[in-house]
């Protein structure tokens, strides 16, 4: 099970590749891809289908034996984007000695220093001419070799580097791409790489959404291989746990929903994010197809339950003072319910009790996380989604170290626990 997660992480360096891989695994499990421009048609018990939005979000549905209005739905939601660096348009910059570097901008909130001095690659999507102006074609790109590096300044020129240095997003974080060795390459190195990888010509390329990605494969480590080291554990590990549970469970009375959103790291306010009405529109279409009434959707919402799955902060043995003294989850201790008095998380006593019982029935330990009262916390999907669909729900995740680092650390046991808990929720 852990090896499947590692394979998924390695194949999913950015949101577009993650969404493609999730869609492919759903198709292999018998889910039908639905074109949202078409009519949903008749919806029967046991039907399995999925839709995508913007090539970067996926919504899967397994229709229950009972109508949505009568039994509601059970939903797991997660997000497939992670902090990184986006390559800007007109990105290539040629410097002294013919060294080419790329102009980038920060996506989300990465720990920028962790991106230094490690092999990086690029991944994303390239948009080329299609049959007409409103329908261009999209090609996915993943350069599967070390291609770039963001190099540190030597300590001899920066004696205070170990005392903490403020980094400039525009100056310090630009990756080296290569050395121009031909006049034809000047300003064209990146385009040459894209064209070679995709076997296309520059005149066909209209634009791209490309990002930097760690080129080092995900792995386990520790005396007992008990830890997972990888980029993008936040939140691809939750995406994959939800997917495994969705695929492994059979038809139930309730409709099962897996919602993998994009752009959580930048606020979710996009057509493919948790703030979009797209998911509620799809659920309304299912309710209408079943009963001919939109009222069935609202009845289904009142009978529904949501698990918002986004990783939590594990207790760090070097920084215990940063954690709440009585609510700090540990690696290997099981899924974590997240609470916040300012309502940044959707969890309350009722929804937490539901999830704790699910874990108990699955034979899985369960932990709680609350921020140290002097340390500001983050937010996640639950409340954003609940602002458009008023669902009962819990915010939870597996505990990880170094959240938003280029490489994060999780627990192999926690991944297995989480899949068990999600499978029990869906069964």
């Amino acid at each position: 099970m852990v090896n499947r997660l590692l394979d998924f992480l390695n194949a999913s360096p950015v949101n577009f590749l993650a969404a493609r891989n999730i869609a492919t695994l759903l198709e292999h499990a018998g889910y039908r891809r639905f074109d949202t421009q078409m009519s949903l048609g008749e919806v029967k018990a046991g039907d399995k289908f999925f839709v995508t939005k913007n090539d970067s979000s996926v919504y899967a549905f397994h229709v229950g034996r009972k109508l949505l209005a009568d039994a509601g739905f059970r939903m797991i939601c997660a997000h497939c984007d992670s902090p990184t660096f986006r390559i800007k348009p007109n990105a290539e910059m040629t410097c002294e000695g013919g060294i080419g570097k790329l102009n980038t901008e920060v996506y989300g909130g990465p720990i920028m220093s962790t991106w230094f001095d490690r092999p990086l690659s690029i991944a994303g999507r390239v948009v080329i001419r299609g049959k007409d102006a409103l329908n261009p074609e999209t090609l996915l790109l993943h350069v599967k070799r070390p291609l770039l590096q963001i190099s540190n300044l030597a300590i001899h020129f920066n004696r205070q580097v170990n005392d903490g240095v403020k980094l400039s997003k525009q100056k310090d974080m630009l990756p080296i791409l290569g050395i121009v060795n031909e006049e034809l390459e000047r300003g064209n190195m990146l385009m040459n790489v894209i064209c070679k990888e995709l076997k296309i010509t520059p005149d066909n390329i209209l634009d791209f959404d490309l990002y930097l990605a760690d080129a080092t494969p995900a792995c386990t480590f520790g005396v007992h291989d008990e830890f997972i080291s990888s980029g993008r554990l936040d939140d691809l590990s939750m995406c994959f746990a939800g997917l495994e549970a969705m695929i492994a469970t059979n038809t139930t009375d309730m409709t099962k929903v897996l919602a993998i959103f994009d752009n959580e790291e930048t606020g979710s306010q996009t057509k493919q994010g948790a703030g979009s009405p797209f998911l509620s529109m799809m659920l309304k279409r299912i309710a209408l197809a079943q009963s001919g009434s939109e009222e069935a959707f609202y009845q289904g919402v009142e009978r529904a339950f949501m698990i918002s799955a986004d990783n939590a902060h594990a207790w760090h043995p070097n920084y215990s003072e940063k954690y709440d003294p009585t609510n700090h989850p540990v690696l290997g201790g099981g899924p974590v319910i997240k609470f916040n008095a300012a309502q940044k998380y959707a969890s309350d006593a009722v929804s937490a009790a539901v999830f704790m019982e699910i874990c108990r029935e699955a034979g899985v330990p369960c932990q709680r996380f609350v921020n140290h009262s002097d340390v500001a916390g983050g937010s996640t999907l639950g409340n954003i989604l609940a602002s458009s669909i008023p669902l009962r729900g819990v915010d939870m995740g597996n505990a990880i170290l170094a959240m938003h680092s280029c490489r994060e650390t999780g627990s192999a046991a926690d991944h297995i626990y989480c899949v068990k808990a999600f499978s029990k929720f869906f069964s």
Side-chain angles (χ1 to χ4, degrees):
M1 187 180 293
V2 172
N3 286 335
R4 290 198 298 272
L5 172 62
L6 298 182
D7 290 342
F8 175 73
L9 291 166
N10 289 331
S12 307
V14 293
N15 50 355
F16 302 109
L17 276 298
R20 190 274 310 272
N21 294 331
I22 291 168
T24 299
L25 290 169
L26 286 168
E27 286 182 312
H28 289 167
Y31 283 74
R32 170 178 58 89
R33 184 186 291 268
F34 170 61
D35 184 348
T36 53
Q37 296 181 9
M38 308 296 289
S39 170
L40 188 57
E42 184 183 5
V43 173
K44 305 185 300 297
D47 283 354
K48 299 189 289 186
F49 61 94
F50 70 93
V51 298
T52 62
K53 191 71 172 175
N54 191 50
D55 304 319
S56 63
S57 60
V58 185
Y59 311 86
F61 306 90
H62 186 169
V63 180
R65 288 186 290 262
K66 294 184 178 180
L67 299 179
L68 204 67
D70 296 333
F73 54 91
R74 294 185 181 182
M75 176 192 300
I76 294 174
C77 58
H79 66 90
C80 61
D81 64 319
S82 301
T84 180
F85 296 84
R86 184 179 187 272
I87 299 174
K88 291 181 178 179
N90 305 313
E92 198 164 324
M93 307 164 73
T94 303
C95 309
E96 189 171 343
I99 293 178
K101 64 181 181 181
L102 294 182
N103 194 9
T104 64
E105 61 179 327
V106 172
Y107 178 88
I111 304 176
M112 295 195 298
S113 61
T114 63
W115 287 75
F116 282 122
D117 303 321
R118 64 171 68 242
L120 304 173
S121 189
I122 60 173
R125 66 178 176 181
V126 177
V127 180
I128 63 173
R129 285 189 174 85
K131 60 182 180 181
D132 57 57
L134 288 178
N135 293 282
E137 292 184 22
T138 297
L139 302 176
L140 298 186
L141 175 69
H142 180 191
V143 179
K144 297 180 180 180
R145 67 179 179 91
L147 187 67
L148 315 103
Q149 183 167 292
I150 304 171
S151 291
N152 251 307
L153 182 65
I155 194 171
H156 309 81
F157 301 129
N158 188 8
R159 296 289 184 178
Q160 289 76 44
V161 66
N162 292 323
D163 299 326
V165 173
K166 183 175 176 59
L167 297 172
S168 165
K169 298 173 184 176
Q170 185 61 66
K171 175 180 173 62
D172 297 311
M173 306 310 299
L174 305 187
I176 295 170
L177 178 61
I179 297 177
V180 176
N181 56 23
E182 294 180 22
E183 191 62 34
L184 291 175
E185 277 192 333
R186 186 171 294 275
N188 292 313
M189 281 197 295
L190 176 61
M191 191 60 68
N192 290 346
V193 170
I194 294 171
C195 291
K196 182 179 179 181
E197 289 285 327
L198 297 178
K199 296 179 175 55
I200 56 177
T201 56
D203 56 298
N204 281 327
I205 297 176
L206 299 175
D207 212 333
F208 56 70
D209 292 312
L210 295 177
Y211 299 85
L212 305 190
D214 183 13
T216 307
C219 66
T220 56
F221 73 99
V223 173
H224 311 291
D225 281 325
E226 62 266 55
F227 303 119
I228 299 172
S229 172
S230 175
R232 308 172 303 283
L233 284 176
D234 176 28
D235 192 32
L236 290 186
S237 60
M238 293 291 95
C239 293
F240 194 68
L243 177 67
E244 293 253 273
M246 187 77 166
I247 289 173
T249 50
N250 298 319
T251 305
T252 62
D253 287 346
M254 281 191 172
T255 293
K256 298 184 297 180
V257 181
L258 176 68
I260 307 299
F261 296 106
D262 191 12
N263 303 133
E264 189 275 344
E265 300 294 355
T266 56
S268 296
Q269 300 303 312
T270 61
K271 62 186 178 296
Q272 59 274 1
S276 167
F278 181 76
L279 176 59
S280 64
M281 290 165 58
M282 284 302 306
L283 290 167
K284 285 178 184 178
R285 291 173 76 168
I286 293 172
L288 283 166
Q290 287 182 327
S291 62
S293 168
E294 191 172 298
E295 178 68 21
F297 163 72
Y298 300 107
Q299 292 175 296
V301 168
E302 293 305 310
R303 293 177 169 87
F305 194 88
M306 167 193 67
I307 294 177
S308 168
D310 197 0
N311 286 124
H313 297 292
W315 179 78
H316 195 305
N318 295 345
Y319 303 97
S320 59
E321 73 279 3
K322 293 292 185 180
Y323 297 84
D324 183 77
T326 61
N327 296 281
H328 47 264
V330 296
L331 291 170
V336 179
I337 302 172
K338 302 190 288 188
F339 296 89
N340 182 264
Q343 303 302 303
K344 290 185 176 181
Y345 300 134
S347 308
D348 57 24
V350 174
S351 62
V354 170
F355 187 73
M356 288 177 65
E357 279 297 284
I358 290 167
C359 288
R360 185 187 64 80
E361 291 175 4
V364 167
C366 185
Q367 307 182 85
R368 294 170 179 248
F369 171 82
V370 184
N371 276 304
H372 187 293
S373 296
D374 295 328
V375 178
S379 59
T380 185
L381 299 165
N383 277 350
I384 294 172
L385 183 59
S387 66
S388 59
I389 309 176
L391 293 162
R392 283 193 308 157
V394 64
D395 271 307
M396 56 73 62
N398 278 342
I400 64 171
L401 293 173
M403 187 179 290
H404 289 198
S405 172
C406 190
R407 286 187 79 88
E408 299 159 328
T409 296
S411 160
D414 284 342
H415 176 66
I416 296 170
Y417 288 147
C418 196
V419 173
K420 288 181 177 179
F422 286 176
S423 297
K424 174 57 68 174
F425 174 65
F426 272 154
S427 63

